Amino acid sequence: GWVPVKASEASAEEGAAMARLMQLSLRGARGLTGRPTSSRRLVTRCGTSGKFWIGGNWKSNGTAESVAKLVDELNSGTVPSNTEVIVSPTFLQIPYVSQNLDQTKFAVSAQNCWVEGYGAYTGEISAEALADAGLNWVILGHSERRALNGESNELVADKTKKALDTGLSVIACIGETLEQRESGEMFNILDAQLAAIADKVSDWSKIVVAYEPVWAIGTGGVATPDQ
């Protein structure tokens, strides 16, 4: 999941409510598997008036029992009016979460989609299929997919354009490794990731750019707001 960077002022009551929501929506590994989460990631929504934006990526975690419990806990909470909360369960859990999560408070996102439409793409999920299932959001360019699946900046950009053309909103992930940060290449890496999307997309109104310091994942290091 991600923790918001840019936000307007909130009351103590709103802050407490948002802290609880972060605890629940970011539980990822802890809430769904019983293990502590490995990291927190940072996100800002460009071009807004400063609303809090909280995203919880559940990755490949969650049993039917643990997801049902988490959905009940989220539904029992309150969401301040200046806050958007999006959760991203596994594809198998999306139908249950979509049907049972209070979508007056929360939105549901997929964790990925394919660059093409319906067709002979074994193991992939098309943007059209996500839209047909009633989803409005998809995560693209996550560092784990870049690292484990070899997704290039250009592929992420093509997938982003495909998702937007299908009517989905996109959580576009960018981030640098520790080696890239320490070598002074951080901004070149981030610029290249964003430039690839900018080459394909002119309207950013349905894109949330999620900055993910890859060097803080599973290392014990935590990114500061300044970083």
Side-chain angles (χ1 to χ4, degrees):
W2 303 278
V3 179
V5 173
K6 181 181 178 183
S8 58
E9 292 183 1
S11 67
E13 183 178 349
E14 288 174 326
M18 283 183 286
R20 176 59 177 157
L21 284 170
M22 286 182 194
Q23 252 186 345
L24 291 173
S25 64
L26 300 177
R27 279 170 64 170
R30 180 185 296 278
L32 300 178
T33 70
R35 297 190 300 275
T37 53
S38 60
S39 67
R40 286 187 172 183
R41 265 144 270 162
L42 304 174
V43 68
T44 181
R45 183 164 189 170
C46 301
T48 71
S49 58
K51 290 185 71 174
F52 280 94
W53 196 95
I54 301 172
N57 178 12
W58 299 358
K59 304 193 178 187
S60 294
N61 296 305
T63 64
E65 181 180 1
S66 65
V67 167
K69 180 179 179 182
L70 183 53
V71 166
D72 287 343
E73 290 179 342
L74 286 169
N75 285 340
S76 67
T78 58
V79 178
S81 60
N82 67 335
T83 305
E84 293 180 64
V85 184
I86 295 178
V87 300
S88 187
T90 67
F91 285 121
L92 287 176
Q93 301 293 352
I94 282 175
Y96 177 87
V97 175
S98 295
Q99 292 165 16
N100 291 278
L101 191 66
D102 185 347
Q103 295 201 39
T104 65
K105 302 177 185 177
F106 309 99
V108 179
S109 170
Q111 296 180 19
N112 182 45
C113 74
W114 184 229
V115 69
E116 302 288 351
Y118 292 113
Y121 307 109
T122 301
E124 296 294 344
I125 302 289
S126 68
E128 287 87 347
L130 299 181
D132 185 60
L135 295 182
N136 296 313
W137 288 90
V138 62
I139 299 171
L140 295 174
H142 193 281
S143 64
E144 289 160 1
R145 293 202 59 84
R146 292 178 187 266
L148 300 176
N149 298 83
E151 294 194 359
S152 65
N153 293 341
E154 290 70 27
L155 178 59
V156 172
D158 286 338
K159 291 168 76 169
T160 299
K161 183 177 187 305
K162 175 63 176 176
L164 293 172
D165 288 347
T166 307
L168 300 175
S169 294
V170 173
I171 302 166
C173 299
I174 64 171
E176 82 289 353
T177 65
L178 181 60
E179 180 181 4
Q180 291 164 343
R181 170 175 280 267
E182 291 181 341
S183 69
E185 287 296 304
M186 178 183 74
F187 288 110
N188 291 334
I189 297 298
L190 301 180
D191 286 349
Q193 292 170 347
L194 286 173
I197 298 175
D199 284 344
K200 305 281 181 158
V201 173
S202 58
D203 182 1
W204 289 70
S205 63
K206 296 182 71 175
I207 298 176
V208 168
V209 177
Y211 169 59
E212 178 182 52
V214 181
W215 48 270
I217 300 175
T219 64
V222 177
T224 66
D226 287 341
Q227 290 174 319

